Amino acid sequence: MRLIVRRALKEAGYGRETIAEATNGDEAFGLIQADCPDIVLCDWNMPVTNGIELLEKITSAGLKLKFGFVTSEGTPEMRARAEAAGAKFLIAKPFTADDIQTALDKEFGR
């Protein structure tokens, strides 16, 4: 999934930005604390700490950043939970580079 998202970012015109990757939610939280990125694109289903738990952990820590899901499923319940937790968007498979571009352009005012 990370490779697919990285490719979609490049196709969407976001390939020149610095991109960090994490293999699980705990690793992602450590990277976020260390670097405070402009935006986090997160899978819902991750080992150790899943995506919604990661978002809740970020919020509890008082970290202010943009957060969106790019994941394999997007049920209405997941979308509602993501929005309630503060996610800016949830993009579900199958998605295109245009879907990524639309979501990111909205967040960055492009």
Side-chain angles (χ1 to χ4, degrees), residues 98-109:
D98 287 341
D99 297 326
I100 299 275
Q101 183 175 7
T102 299
L104 295 182
D105 285 357
K106 180 180 175 187
E107 292 307 314
F108 293 111

Side-chain angles (χ1 to χ4, degrees), residues 60-89:
S60 292
L63 300 172
K64 304 290 184 204
L65 52 89
K66 296 173 182 175
F67 189 104
F69 286 100
V70 181
T71 189
S72 59
E73 57 184 304
T75 66
E77 294 81 14
M78 289 173 72
R79 290 180 186 282
R81 188 167 177 201
E83 184 179 333
K88 302 292 185 183
F89 55 84

